[in-house]
Amino acid sequence: MIVITMTDCPVGLRGDLTKWLLEVNTGVFVGQVSARVRDNLWERIKETAKDGRVTMVFSTNNEQKLDFRIHNSTWEPIDFDGIKLILRPSPSRIKQLGELRLGFSKASKRQIAKRAEKKRGANTPDDYVVIDIETSGLNPEEHEIIELGAILVEAHKIKERFSVLVQPQKDIAEQIENITGITNAMLREEGVDISIAMQRFIAFMDGLPVVAHNADFDYSFLRKACALCNLPLFSNRSICTLILSRRKIRKVDNYKLITLAKHFGIPTTKMHRSLADCEITYQLYEKLINLDTSGL
């Protein structure tokens, strides 16, 4: 089962959806389609919805028996102890997001559409970017990004790496220094302004699908940073290895990145640095998509 709700979207998009789904009310579509058709519909929605708002809810084989995707919504998906929930923003947050929702340039939209066309019909992209961030804490409303890391993957092979330290507004706690190995001295000497870091980071990703472990956590900080830097909201398609692991693996104590790495025999020499965690996540993702789940 799939349910799609749309607001302020082009009429032509509604026509496209009615080829596959039943419109039971204005902007509300329901139906039963394959995962491949569902993913193709979502790519079509992202390409043509423009400034419209879209939510898709669909049945899937996870603990909740459902999953959802959003486009241009002020309601943000979050991971709560492995359960996917939607965070309803405060009125002030809604106002802020409304003011900052600038959208992509026409050139960027064409480039993203071109990449989407190239990958249409494939559940697992050949080209993608693995990302990881280090932060001064767990709450994007109170804490800051201190490091951004990314790996560009083409045809499932690492092509290029990106890493940058970010200067926070406040000194980070000693506990964070101990966990990450990133010190306040390093951030003062090597860190760059968050606006510069985010512009480089977004340019590196170039609209490609993003692979991350607990993607909702990373996205919550990245969207907050975009808002602070007056940048378009971060909206690359995400593939979460935490969710994928829960679907495919049973015989593990938990689904932390280090636990899954040990399960697959992936080296973990420098955990809690962005680029090192990207390397682990890349190897984990490639193993997961090629995994025979029988007996796991």
Side-chain angles (χ1 to χ4, degrees), residues 173-186:
E174 183 179 353
Q175 179 185 10
I176 301 299
E177 289 185 313
N178 293 335
I179 291 173
T180 64
I182 299 171
T183 66
N184 284 299
M186 290 169 59

Side-chain angles (χ1 to χ4, degrees), residues 26 50 69 81 93 121 126-127 131 161 166 183 185 194 219 252:
T26 304
K50 297 182 179 179
R69 298 171 184 172
D81 197 21
R93 176 66 170 157
D126 293 330
D127 303 345
I131 69 166
R161 293 171 174 83
V166 182
T183 66
I194 183 63
Y219 270 51
V252 290

